[in-house]
Amino acid sequence: MAEPLFDRVAIIGVGLIGSSIARAARKAGLARTIAAADQDASVRERVAALGLADEVFERSGEAAAEADLVIVCTPVGVCGPVAAEIGPRLKPGAILSDVGSVKGAVVRDMAPHVPAHAHFVPAHPIAGTEDSGPDAGFAELFDGRWAILTPLESADPAAVAALRAFWEGAGARVDTMTVEHHDLVFAIVSHVPHLIAYNIVGTAADLEEVTQSEVIKYSASGFRDFTRIAASDPTMWRDVFLNNRDAVLQMLGRFVEDLTALQRAIRWGEGDKLFELFTRTREIRRSIIEQGQDTAAPDFGRRNAPSAGDHGAISPPGP
Amino acid sequence: MAEPLFDRVAIIGVGLIGSSIARAARKAGLARTIAAADQDASVRERVAALGLADEVFERSGEAAAEADLVIVCTPVGVCGPVAAEIGPRLKPGAILSDVGSVKGAVVRDMAPHVPAHAHFVPAHPIAGTEDSGPDAGFAELFDGRWAILTPLESADPAAVAALRAFWEGAGARVDTMTVEHHDLVFAIVSHVPHLIAYNIVGTAADLEEVTQSEVIKYSASGFRDFTRIAASDPTMWRDVFLNNRDAVLQMLGRFVEDLTALQRAIRWGEGDKLFELFTRTREIRRSIIEQGQDTAAPDFGRRNAPSAGDHGAISPPGP
């Protein structure tokens, strides 16, 4: 096997993403030593039990000292304080990166703490599930998924190339874009979709006319797909909305404007307008499948959900 | 094997649902003879090629004549004209039913055409996928899913019991509720979720700041889940919105009200409000999984989508 890309990699915050990076790095031999830090004692215990890291610390500064690559995997709301602790400990030539779903606020909060002798290269791997915590991670999480680097203009090309190699080694495909463009793109493909999923689940839970047990019982008719996204980590997503406020409000404005037009078409019985939109949206699904970004199997290839009653056996989804 | 429940069952409209009913009825031996009608010649050809029915007709009246149970599986927008053709052909004691996602409009449009010597029992099986057409159906589609009957007050109890037995024979669990309550429940668990899925996909496609290819490329970050629902049959869904207008507008009003409150919380940085909602919505997901209405596997158990590039192999979803 070739030499590891990095002698020492430090993972700060070992949740779904941090633990998946540790697993992928170990599996692909990307680091000679993996150090991990988490302020939560129960997380550190799981990290040790799962053997995710060679060294486990409570303080991020301890883990970051002597590391060649430090990846901050905390919710974006605490990236600033974490960078303030790590910054002074970074050794010359060290690369500091992150995995935050917003980049403008992360750069604003982290960059000031990075010493001149180290390199800051923000990143965002486009991968995850609705589960949280170190047990939820797996080494293949990034396989074939995109990892986006948003280097600043002043970034050292060698540091950017090294981080690219790390993510490619972890299975990802790498793209670069500006911080500002990143935040607009993910406002529409990720943040607003999560917001409306959280919102519809909240609306349904609060109705008087329809009981919560009816909502749950009949959820297979569409609603349940939204509940998966609305089960994502609350802290992470609170921080995303607070830290990408302008782009989210801009895209949400567009969404509401379009929804109001649909509402009006329903009120006035304009079937052609509805049909035109519903046909156009099919094309986008087709492109997503063609480009390998989702499965073509109906219902996501979910098995027909087992019932609690007569039909306990899970049936195959047919021919 | 026991006697079939019905001597002759007629399926009118052989799409995803109609063809699945035909397959389920055959598999479970619910009918001695299955007749099918579809006005589309290419559909009739597939029905014959797949052997879904014993007799295939162009005209619904021909298929319905002599049938003991007639199930109309067309989009709800044409239920009225179809009932007008079938009504005069119904034999004494025949049961007429449907599978429409809205019930008020179906009763309004179909009931006047049902002769006094026949029985009308509206129904709605809560099952489907985003695919359409006779090839998309499968016999297990209804296994463990709910089928809701909305009998009118004047309904014959024996006819209701016979239809219940048919759906239970097809694998479903059966519930009954009033027409009005049905339309409210499905406005929130199905119709509004579909509307906002169609809407967000439309909004994303129309942006100037973010290209459509970026939306597709990075769709795994949330957006792609919505595109599955937004790939559902356009004709069926146009008819749903036009025919359940009042309940959809009522529930959409609640959704928008709640969304406006979330928008305001983001603008004013009220993280606690966001966190409270995001925590509450997790519970609902948990209940849906506990009650067997969805899979507990992260990401719906989807495999990590294959890439078109370096990582062509599909990786298992981890431990």
Side-chain angles (χ1 to χ4, degrees), chain A residues 163-175:
Chain A
L163 188 64
R164 170 187 281 271
F166 181 85
W167 278 108
E168 288 175 347
R173 293 183 283 173
V174 175
D175 249 355

Side-chain angles (χ1 to χ4, degrees), chain B residues 3-61:
Chain B
E3 282 289 287
L5 279 168
F6 293 95
D7 203 50
R8 185 181 177 91
V9 171
I11 310 287
I12 313 300
V14 198
L16 168 67
I17 300 296
S19 75
S20 295
I21 294 175
R23 289 176 170 100
R26 173 139 308 166
K27 189 178 169 200
L30 306 177
R32 199 180 309 274
T33 304
I34 297 174
D38 204 291
Q39 60 175 19
D40 184 331
S42 65
V43 170
R44 291 197 301 277
E45 208 171 277
R46 292 303 302 153
V47 170
L50 294 164
L52 297 178
D54 303 298
E55 299 171 27
V56 187
F57 300 90
E58 181 179 357
R59 307 292 307 176
S60 53

